[in-house]
Amino acid sequence: MSLKSRTFSVFFSLFCIFGLLLCPGISALAQSASVSGRVIDPSSAVVRKAQIILVDAAKGTSQMTQTNDGGFYSFPFVQPGTYTLAVELSGFKRFERTTITVETAQSLVLDVRLQVGDVSQSVTVDGRGNNINTTDASVGTVIDRQFVENIPLSGRSFQPLLTLVPGVMQVPVGQSSGTGYAGEFTVNGQRSEENYFTVDGVGVNTGIYTQEGPGIGAGFGGATLGETSLGTTQSLISIDALQEFSAKTSTYSVEYGRTPGGQFSFSSRSGTNHLHGSVFDYFRNGATSANAWFNNYYGQPRLEEHQNDFGGTLGGPIVLPRLYNGRDKSFFFFSYEGLRLKNPVAANLTAVPSLALRQSAAPGLQPLLGGFPLPLANATDLGGDLYGYTAGYVSPGRLDAFSLRLDQHVGDKLLLFGRMSYSPSSSVTRSSYDLANVGNLNGTIGSITLGATATFNSRASNDLRFNFTRNKQKNDQSNDNFGGATPFVSSTLPG
């Protein structure tokens, strides 16, 4: 390795370590996967001080440990992926188990029986197949990347994936406060704020609902997952940046404390030794769509419809020509997703003040009554100087989701990573009681996560996570001239 390469490697490692020390937030719950087991000889006697090597097949990086006096070994903090497990000890043939799939939050037990022989000889076992959980009685489901890539997802949000887990139900659209809002989840009938969501081992329960007052509705205090202004989950992690996720719904271990509901653990993708990427664009418009049933019923025309979801990913080793070659040790993965949406809202019957009521009202109240749309010709008289008003509208929205992950392997004993995400979003809706009343919801969720996994020896290891997350939501209410309404400023009203 050249002097420039070593200098860059040392600088990058020190940068990650100092970032860990300076980051202001902390999460004590990592929920990483683990690989452990016991090594014995042909007579079933335990094998001490056997060298255990766990190699990441995609990155070429490795972790090392030894069996203890009881013949046990353990890798307590392992990222999801495909691995090869090798066992070496003088006087025994080298054992190698390939194609081992490690899933998110999994406790994988792999016992090994060594055969007597020369270490230059080897025994290779194909590790593909279903791994049975023999360590605890937890009930859950793992959704991997291969499944995600081959299933159609409306809006490219992983809410439909979570409902595939037994016992999980999404809160219906239009649900009132108390049990949750649309986009949130109930697990085995519990409230939506009883669940706990993590991404790369840190909590992402930062959800707030800006359209209600303090203390009203589930999750106002940040007890639900932090969603975008459109109610989607790209603010946590985009589908294309997701490696896999694990959902545990009951009888999980005590490390998942804090809440009694479902425990949802997400793992982000990281780069590999091979440069790889993807580009996508999903487009839909209303040219071939039928008119909504309620529009036909009220004699209203078809509304504009547009949905464009686009983006891409890029991952691989960090290579700077003539400066640094990061193969087998330094990796990056970048993801971007953009959404531009025009969502038609079908026509609905609302009540508006009659012209006579607007003219006869006290001068101080006339601006308020004038803020409603004007009654249409031949409008239905609802009584009490109120007339029916029927119209639909288009609700625009947009979001951008950025994500960047860096991984640094400092030898076989120390693994460092950092991930940054930034997801601004906005949506515009109209009140179901006054279509001239506009709600502009703007949200920005940003997060920085830093992690360090250290293996000191066969008896001691440590996994550290630091995180800082900010969820900024703003909801502005205003009036426009929809349906002939006269906009007014609320500060001018009496009282």
Side-chain angles (χ1 to χ4, degrees):
M1 182 184 293
S2 67
L3 178 60
K4 291 182 178 180
S5 179
R6 289 184 179 180
T7 302
F8 184 88
S9 179
V10 172
F11 175 79
F12 185 77
S13 301
L14 291 176
F15 173 79
C16 292
I17 294 174
F18 280 116
L20 286 171
L21 296 177
L22 295 176
C23 195
I26 185 170
S27 174
L29 186 61
Q31 299 177 359
S32 298
S34 65
V35 177
S36 60
R38 191 184 190 196
V39 180
I40 58 177
D41 63 14
S43 64
S44 298
V46 299
V47 177
R48 304 177 181 86
K49 296 185 178 180
Q51 188 80 4
I52 313 295
I53 307 170
L54 187 65
V55 182
D56 189 319
K59 296 188 178 76
T61 58
S62 62
Q63 302 180 53
M64 299 178 63
T65 188
Q66 288 185 338
T67 56
N68 60 18
D69 292 339
F72 292 98
Y73 72 91
S74 177
F75 296 98
F77 309 111
V78 180
Q79 293 298 315
T82 303
Y83 291 85
T84 295
L85 180 73
V87 183
E88 296 179 350
L89 183 64
S90 179
F92 295 93
K93 296 179 181 180
R94 186 178 190 271
F95 176 89
E96 190 172 276
R97 184 168 182 174
T98 63
T99 325
I100 301 170
T101 300
V102 179
E103 299 174 341
T104 300
Q106 181 185 24
S107 297
L108 183 59
V109 177
L110 299 175
D111 294 332
V112 176
R113 182 184 293 271
L114 295 180
Q115 297 182 13
V116 177
D118 191 86
V119 71
S120 61
Q121 298 175 302
S122 64
V123 176
T124 302
V125 177
D126 191 335
R128 281 176 290 191
N130 295 326
N131 297 313
I132 300 175
N133 180 14
T134 60
T135 59
D136 56 48
S138 61
V139 177
T141 303
V142 174
I143 304 295
D144 59 22
R145 172 140 201 88
Q146 181 179 5
F147 181 85
V148 173
E149 289 179 340
N150 290 280
I151 188 172
L153 294 173
S154 177
R156 296 183 60 77
S157 183
F158 56 68
Q159 273 116 328
L161 296 176
L162 296 184
T163 58
L164 298 177
V165 180
V168 178
M169 186 187 74
Q170 188 171 350
V171 177
V173 175
Q175 173 68 55
S176 60
S177 62
T179 57
Y181 293 95
E184 298 172 354
F185 300 92
T186 65
V187 177
N188 298 328
Q190 300 187 77
R191 291 177 179 269
S192 61
E193 72 266 34
E194 299 297 329
N195 305 316
Y196 191 50
F197 293 81
T198 64
V199 176
D200 292 330
V202 298
V204 289
N205 280 35
T206 62
I208 57 178
Y209 196 77
T210 60
Q211 298 182 16
E212 297 284 358
I216 299 178
F220 187 87
T224 58
L225 71 164
E227 298 173 298
T228 67
S229 300
L230 301 172
T232 58
T233 54
Q234 286 92 339
S235 52
L236 305 185
I237 186 171
S238 294
I239 286 293
D240 292 88
L242 175 66
Q243 177 66 27
E244 62 182 29
F245 74 86
S246 169
K248 297 186 181 296
T249 54
S250 66
T251 59
Y252 37 77
S253 63
V254 293
E255 69 175 298
Y256 296 95
R258 182 170 181 173
T259 59
Q263 305 290 331
F264 300 91
S265 303
F266 298 84
S267 299
S268 62
R269 295 175 67 184
S270 60
T272 65
N273 269 332
H274 301 283
L275 190 66
H276 58 278
S278 63
V279 177
F280 62 88
D281 188 1
Y282 296 89
F283 179 75
R284 176 186 179 186
N285 62 21
T288 58
S289 299
N291 197 14
W293 186 91
F294 284 101
N295 286 344
N296 288 329
Y297 179 81
Y298 289 115
Q300 298 291 320
R302 184 177 61 187
L303 299 169
E304 182 182 7
E305 183 176 5
H306 177 87
Q307 179 176 332
N308 188 18
D309 199 329
F310 56 92
T313 64
L314 181 64
I318 299 177
V319 177
L320 301 178
R322 300 182 181 181
L323 292 177
Y324 181 70
N325 185 359
R327 295 185 183 278
D328 295 333
K329 51 184 176 293
S330 303
F331 309 93
F332 78 96
F333 188 88
F334 173 78
S335 169
Y336 167 75
E337 180 179 357
L339 175 65
R340 304 297 182 263
L341 179 67
K342 290 184 178 179
N343 185 38
V345 179
N348 186 34
L349 177 64
T350 60
V352 297
S354 65
L355 296 178
L357 180 60
R358 298 169 192 246
Q359 297 171 359
S360 62
L365 294 179
Q366 288 182 359
L368 178 62
L369 298 178
F372 286 85
L374 295 173
L376 300 175
N378 302 322
T380 303
D381 187 353
L382 302 179
D385 282 325
L386 297 177
Y387 281 83
Y389 179 81
T390 304
Y393 66 92
V394 176
S395 175
R398 64 174 292 162
L399 71 85
D400 298 280
F402 302 86
S403 174
L404 174 64
R405 173 169 175 149
L406 302 176
D407 291 85
Q408 175 69 22
H409 293 248
V410 188
D412 298 325
K413 302 295 184 181
L414 179 61
L415 311 178
L416 305 175
F417 88 91
R419 180 176 178 267
M420 180 277 293
S421 64
Y422 180 71
S423 305
S425 59
S426 63
S427 66
V428 179
T429 58
R430 294 183 179 273
S431 170
S432 59
Y433 305 102
D434 179 8
L435 293 177
N437 181 259
V438 183
N440 293 277
L441 181 59
N442 293 273
T444 301
I445 300 181
S447 177
I448 297 177
T449 301
L450 299 173
T453 301
T455 303
F456 303 111
N457 51 52
S458 60
R459 297 182 178 180
S461 59
N462 183 66
D463 191 39
L464 180 67
R465 293 286 190 275
F466 278 85
N467 171 263
F468 175 81
T469 299
R470 182 182 184 185
N471 188 347
K472 182 180 179 181
Q473 302 286 335
K474 181 181 180 181
N475 187 19
D476 295 325
Q477 298 290 330
S478 61
N479 288 78
D480 63 9
N481 59 355
F482 188 92
T486 302
F488 66 91
V489 179
S490 60
S491 60
T492 62
L493 299 177

